[in-house]
Amino acid sequence: MPWTATVLTLYPEMFPGPLGVSLAGRALAEGVWRLDMVDIRGFGEGRHRAVDDTPAGGGPGMVLRPDVMAAAIDSVAEEAQGVPRLLMSARGRPLTQARVRELAAGPGVLVVCGRFEGVDERVIEARELEEVAIGDFVLSGGEPAAIVLMDAVVRLLPGVMGSAASGEWESFEQGLLEHPHYTRPRVWEGREIPEILLSGDHRRIEAWRREQAIALTQSRRPEIYEAWIGRKRDDKQ
Ligand code: SAH
């Protein structure tokens, strides 16, 4: 069985979307990974297939019903056995490259896409959904977040990225943001490629890239820099 994403959504037509083109799309067509869609609407109640209702306690918006969501999740329980069950959620734990790597090493994911105000809390507890956020902002639905998550995972699957090495030096993989890149032309709008990159001295180039990565991380993401410094200190002890 290839790595399989099972996505529960009210909008299956949003998929594969961007995952149907380029690297992820080719890998999908070649069977390197699989995408199974579950239309939550199919588990809706009554003639109108209602999936949501007004929030208990009042307030704006609608909430996805626990019975409907549980029925949709249970319909794939067998196929998705032993697979992490994620709920895309603004309140979730922020997605990290480390978690993406873990997911890529596993059999796949079950991803629930929220809509409206979100999902009834009881189904999150009862079906042990792990809430995952893709950033500190609010989307109108979990679908774009699910696509982001799957894109990050799929590119790490064996055979998807052209060069296996190209993953290792990237942002977050070393606990740092990545160094800057340059390519031809050598001079563009009066701006030159840093001399050292043209020197052919691989040791000095590596050292320069590392310095750049450290400086960039320190100025843009001080919290990541502090964590990196802390780990370096621990390694030395
Ligand atoms: N009332 C919620 C936001 C609902 S947005 C709150 O304040 O937390 C509707 C749906 O979009 C959510 O159920 C979730 O599935 C998705 N979503 C919104 N922002 C997200 C984010 N940053 N990461 C992942 N999913 C998100």
Side-chain angles (χ1 to χ4, degrees), residues 61-218:
M62 300 294 271
V63 176
L64 287 161
R65 292 172 53 125
D67 49 354
V68 173
M69 296 307 288
I73 293 166
D74 294 347
S75 76
V76 288
E78 214 166 297
E79 299 93 297
Q81 219 171 18
V83 160
R85 283 196 293 264
L86 314 182
L87 169 65
M88 303 321 296
S89 163
R91 321 179 299 197
R93 190 171 295 149
L95 185 63
T96 61
Q97 189 64 18
R99 184 74 181 114
V100 167
R101 278 220 172 266
E102 275 173 17
L103 293 174
V109 281
L110 184 149
V111 186
V112 180
C113 301
R115 277 273 153 183
F116 320 120
E117 291 310 315
V119 180
D120 187 299
E121 190 68 22
R122 293 167 294 176
V123 78
I124 301 176
E125 292 166 9
R127 292 299 177 271
E128 298 177 324
L129 303 180
E130 171 191 342
E131 292 182 70
V132 178
I134 62 158
D136 293 342
F137 42 77
V138 180
L139 302 168
S140 55
E143 291 79 8
I147 288 170
V148 165
L149 180 139
M150 291 189 286
D151 181 279
V153 172
V154 165
R155 64 190 285 283
L156 296 182
L157 298 176
V160 175
M161 264 195 305
S163 148
S166 88
E168 282 159 31
W169 249 112
E170 277 169 334
S171 292
F172 311 114
E173 294 290 4
Q174 308 276 329
L176 292 169
L177 303 181
E178 198 187 45
H179 58 77
H181 294 289
Y182 299 87
T183 187
R184 278 179 279 274
R186 183 173 174 159
V187 183
W188 174 76
E189 292 194 349
R191 295 161 190 267
E192 297 193 12
I193 293 177
E195 194 60 47
I196 191 163
L197 296 179
L198 308 170
S199 69
D201 183 339
H202 293 294
R203 285 212 9 221
R204 283 181 57 223
I205 291 172
E206 276 309 296
W208 180 86
R209 285 180 168 161
R210 193 169 169 81
E211 271 164 38
Q212 293 283 316
I214 294 168
L216 211 73
T217 308
Q218 187 172 19

Side-chain angles (χ1 to χ4, degrees), residues 23-44:
L23 289 182
R26 197 176 322 131
L28 184 60
E30 287 171 357
V32 175
W33 69 291
R34 215 175 109 163
L35 179 60
D36 291 345
M37 302 304 305
V38 177
D39 187 351
I40 296 169
R41 185 69 61 185
F43 300 87

Side-chain angles (χ1 to χ4, degrees), residues 2-26:
W3 190 90
T4 301
T6 305
V7 178
L8 284 73
T9 171
L10 281 168
Y11 298 97
E13 65 273 26
M14 288 192 183
F15 297 84
L19 300 177
V21 294
S22 190
L23 289 182
R26 197 176 322 131

